[in-house]
Amino acid sequence: MADTIFALSSGAPPAAIAVVRISGPCADAAVMRLAGALPEARKASLRSLQSTDGRMLDRALVLWFPGPRTATGENLAELHCHGGRAVVSAIECELAAMDGLRRAEPGEFTRRAFANGVIDLAEAEGLGDLLSAETELQRRAAQSAVSGSLSAKVEDWRSRLLSLSALVEAQLDFEDEDDVGTLPDMFHVELSELLEEWISALNAPRAERLRDGVRVVLAGPPNTGKSSLFNALLDEGAAIVSAEAGTTRDVIERPVALGGVPFVLVDTAGLREDGAGEIERIGIDRARAQVERADIVLWLGEEGEGPEGAIEIAARSDIQASSKATADYEVSAVTGSGVSNLIEGLISQAKSILPQPGEAALNSRQSSALSNALTAIQGVESGDDALLTAERMRIARLELDRFLGRHSTEDMLDALFGRFCIGK
Ligand SMILES: Nc1nc2c(ncn2[C@@H]2O[C@H](COP(=O)(O)OP(=O)(O)OP(=O)(O)O)[C@@H](O)[C@H]2O)c(=O)[nH]1
Ligand SMILES: [Mg+2]
C-alpha cells in the first residue's frame, strides 16, 4: 500500500493561512485523529484540531476529498490552519507521528496525480511551468498546457494515426490471402496532413524560449554607452558606468519583464582589438560569445560593423548627433529619450520569436518525441511494403505515447517532479 504523504502546500510561514495537504490511503484516518470525525466530503468545515494527548492545536477549516476523483487520484485532505510557524510545526509533528504517514518529497502530490492518470505528462510539465511563471506570457502559455489543450492536440494526432494504422493492418490481412492490397489515396492524403501539422508544430518557437527569456545583448566598442543603456532599460544601476574605456570587463545578465515579455538583458565588455589588458581580453572573448548566443543584439558601434541583423542604436543622443545614416533607435540613457521606443521595439521583436500568447509550445522533450514520430512516417511511400509501413506507424504511435508520458522512465519522472516545490 502506498504511503500517505503530507506537506505544507502554501508558502513558508509566517502567513495568514497555511494549507497542509494529506494524500493517500490513511488520509481519512489522519483527519479523524486530528478533527475527531471526517467532515462532509468536499465541504469546508470548521473544526478543532487536537493532538493525540488531547492538546488543542488550532481551529482550522478542514476539507475532505474521498478518492479517486481528487487532485491526486487518492484520498485527499486539506487543513487550512493559522499560518504561524509554531501552529504549522505542531500539526506537521502530529502527522509525522501517525502510522503510515510521512513528509512528501518535492512534487510528490503531482507525481501521484500523474501515476493515477489524473493528469498526463504534458499537463504536469505545464503545471511546473505555471508555478515558475514570472511574466504574463509565461503564465498564459503554461495555463494552456495545464488546461490540456496541448494533450488534446496530441491525442487527436494519435487517434488519426491509429485509424491510418488500421488501414495498413487491413492491407496486411489481404496480403495473407496472396492478394496485394493497396492503400487508398485518402491514406496518403491524411498522412501528409498529419505530417504538415507536425512540421509546423516543430517549427514553432519552443517553450524553453519563453521560460528562459529572450536574450538581448548590448555590444559595441568601449565607452559607447552600453552599460548606461543597460541600466536605463532595467531602470536600475546594475552596471558600473564611467568615462574610462574598458569599464565593463565581465558579462552582466539581468532577467527583466518588459510589457509582460520575459527578457534577459546582457551587458558586455567593449569590443576592441588593441590596448586591452589580459582581463579585458577575456571579457572581450566572453562578449563575442554572448553576441553569438543572442536572440537580439543592440549594436552601439559604427553603423554596419555589428553582427548581421543587429539593431543599430545611436546612443548619447543628448550630446552627439547620430553618425548613423539609418539608426533604428536614437536613445539617451541620461535623459531617457528614445528608451521607451526601444523597449516597445524589443517587445514586438521578442513576440515574433516567442510562442504565441496562450498557445502551448513544445518543450525539448516533447519536440524530440514528435520529431522521432515525424521521421518514422516521413519515409512512408505509396509503393511501400505494407509490413514496413505498419512498423513505421507503430514507431510513430509509440513516440506520441512517449510525448504524453505513457512510456516514461523513472529518471525522467524524477527530473520533472524534482523541480516542483514540496507540497505540490
Ligand atoms: N550625456 C550622455 N552621456 C552618456 C550617455 N550614455 C553614456 N554616457 C557616458 O558615456 C561614458 C561611457 O558610458 P558607459 O555606459 O560606461 O559605456 P560602455 O559602453 O559600457 O563602456 P565600456 O564598459 O568601457 O565598454 C560615461 O561617461 C557615461 O556617463 C548618454 O546617453 N548621454
Ligand atoms: Mg560598460
Side-chain angles (χ1 to χ4, degrees):
M1 190 164 70
D3 291 342
T4 296
I5 53 172
F6 68 90
L8 173 66
S9 289
S10 51
I17 295 168
V19 178
V20 175
R21 293 211 295 173
I22 311 165
S23 178
C26 301
D28 48 354
V31 171
M32 284 193 273
R33 281 273 284 282
L34 282 173
L38 267 189
E40 194 182 336
R42 299 168 203 284
K43 285 237 169 83
S45 319
L46 188 61
R47 293 283 185 274
S48 292
L49 305 184
Q50 294 206 328
S51 66
T52 26
D53 57 9
R55 275 175 303 125
M56 160 89 160
L57 298 170
D58 194 19
R59 289 273 287 168
L61 274 184
V62 179
L63 285 131
W64 162 242
F65 305 96
R69 275 187 45 243
T70 67
T72 54
E74 306 178 318
N75 284 345
L76 182 71
E78 283 184 11
L79 312 172
H80 296 220
C81 50
H82 291 94
R85 254 187 262 280
V87 177
V88 173
S89 136
I91 292 172
E92 285 185 322
C93 286
E94 205 57 36
L95 291 170
M98 293 181 192
D99 280 344
L101 263 74
R102 65 167 170 82
R103 289 175 197 274
E105 305 285 338
E108 201 170 0
F109 289 90
T110 317
R111 189 167 183 154
R112 289 190 175 193
F114 169 70
N116 293 322
V118 179
I119 54 172
D120 65 32
L121 202 57
E123 288 163 336
E125 284 167 328
L127 200 53
D129 291 341
L130 187 63
L131 296 181
S132 58
E134 294 202 356
T135 72
E136 182 58 13
L137 266 193
Q138 290 168 331
R139 184 189 69 75
R140 286 168 70 182
Q143 195 77 59
S144 159
V146 173
S147 68
S149 58
L150 180 58
S151 307
K153 196 173 189 177
V154 183
E155 289 286 5
D156 170 58
W157 288 336
R158 194 174 172 279
S159 77
R160 283 156 64 191
L161 197 61
L162 266 177
S163 318
L164 295 175
S165 301
L167 291 176
V168 183
E169 302 293 338
Q171 192 196 4
L172 278 174
D173 288 346
F174 256 124
E175 284 185 348
D176 282 348
E177 292 159 19
D178 264 1
D179 190 358
V180 183
T182 46
L183 287 165
D185 285 348
M186 57 78 85
F187 172 87
H188 295 285
V189 172
E190 289 185 15
L191 194 67
S192 61
E193 277 171 10
L194 262 187
L195 281 181
E196 260 169 48
E197 286 177 41
W198 292 359
I199 290 169
S200 94
L202 285 168
N203 285 337
R206 290 285 142 78
E208 284 82 3
R209 254 327 207 332
L210 195 50
R211 188 191 61 202
D212 301 339
V214 174
R215 291 185 79 81
V216 177
V217 174
L218 291 104
N223 237 358
T224 45
K226 300 179 296 300
S227 300
S228 305
L229 182 57
F230 176 78
N231 290 345
L233 289 169
L234 283 177
D235 213 8
E236 67 167 272
I240 300 173
V241 165
S242 89
E244 209 172 284
T247 304
T248 307
R249 304 286 183 88
D250 216 336
V251 171
I252 308 178
E253 286 189 19
R254 283 284 188 287
V256 61
L258 301 172
V261 178
F263 286 95
V264 178
L265 296 187
V266 185
D267 184 22
T268 59
L271 302 170
R272 60 171 162 180
E273 300 300 334
D274 321 309
E278 190 187 349
I279 300 174
E280 199 184 334
R281 273 202 304 277
I282 298 172
I284 292 173
D285 287 345
R286 291 188 179 180
R288 293 215 164 90
Q290 285 299 327
V291 168
E292 292 283 306
R293 270 186 73 190
D295 294 308
I296 299 174
V297 174
L298 300 183
W299 179 249
L300 282 79
E302 289 298 316
E303 189 167 11
E305 291 183 5
E308 209 183 314
I311 297 182
E312 295 281 359
I313 304 285
R316 298 199 271 201
S317 64
D318 54 314
I319 51 163
Q320 64 189 37
S322 169
S323 60
K324 299 190 177 187
T326 50
D328 295 305
Y329 298 93
E330 292 193 12
V331 295
S332 163
V334 168
T335 65
S337 116
V339 174
S340 56
N341 263 351
L342 171 59
I343 290 179
E344 270 172 37
L346 287 175
I347 293 171
S348 78
Q349 189 161 339
K351 282 188 173 162
S352 67
I353 53 181
L354 287 174
Q356 291 307 302
E359 187 178 281
L362 305 186
N363 62 33
S364 57
R365 186 194 65 76
Q366 295 162 343
S367 54
S368 105
L370 188 60
S371 97
N372 290 345
L374 179 73
T375 315
I377 63 167
Q378 246 168 352
V380 174
E381 303 278 346
S382 37
D384 269 356
D385 177 59
L387 213 55
L388 187 65
T389 305
E391 176 60 12
R392 289 198 163 117
M393 305 291 277
R394 196 186 62 83
I395 294 172
R397 271 194 332 266
L398 282 179
E399 289 296 338
L400 292 192
D401 284 348
R402 193 160 74 85
F403 188 117
L404 294 169
R406 295 199 180 129
H407 294 290
S408 30
T409 65
E410 283 301 303
D411 287 359
M412 197 205 80
L413 296 178
D414 284 348
L416 167 65
F417 293 109
R419 81 184 164 101
F420 280 64
C421 32
I422 289 181
K424 187 62 204 169

